[in-house]
Amino acid sequence: RLTATWCGPCKMYAPIFTEVAENVADRWEVSVLDIDTDEGREMMIANNIRSVPTTVIMEAGKDPKMIAGAMSQEALLDLLGE
């Protein structure tokens, strides 16, 4: 999860993401890395990330999925196939 201290949608999305991560922890290995875009600018450029919040989903043997924008709990669960 990429975020910024000044980002309203990021603040709205944080508890949704955290709740989903807790609910799927027995089926998914969840790592939460809150990277502030103001401090992680080089990482954002290197990974072609242009907006926040951005959720990155990595599955073994597949290309990472990068989803820009806040999502509802239902949308995030759908993305995970839950």
Side-chain angles (χ1 to χ4, degrees):
R1 178 177 65 199
L2 296 151
T3 188
T5 56
W6 47 263
C7 173
C10 297
K11 292 175 184 177
M12 177 193 76
Y13 184 49
I16 293 169
F17 183 92
T18 300
E19 184 175 344
V20 169
E22 289 171 358
N23 289 336
V24 301
D26 62 332
R27 297 175 302 285
W28 285 81
E29 182 178 331
V30 178
S31 297
V32 179
L33 301 172
D34 282 330
I35 301 170
D36 191 299
T37 58
D38 294 329
E39 298 172 10
R41 174 83 48 225
E42 290 179 21
M43 187 277 308
M44 288 186 65
I45 291 168
N47 290 287
N48 200 30
I49 296 167
R50 298 183 179 172
S51 65
V52 290
T54 295
T55 302
V56 181
I57 298 175
M58 294 185 276
E59 294 181 72
K62 296 183 180 181
D63 289 335
K65 294 178 190 175
M66 295 184 160
I67 302 89
M71 291 181 273
S72 67
Q73 182 175 6
E74 294 79 18
L76 185 52
L77 287 169
D78 284 347
L79 189 64
L80 296 172
E82 295 289 319

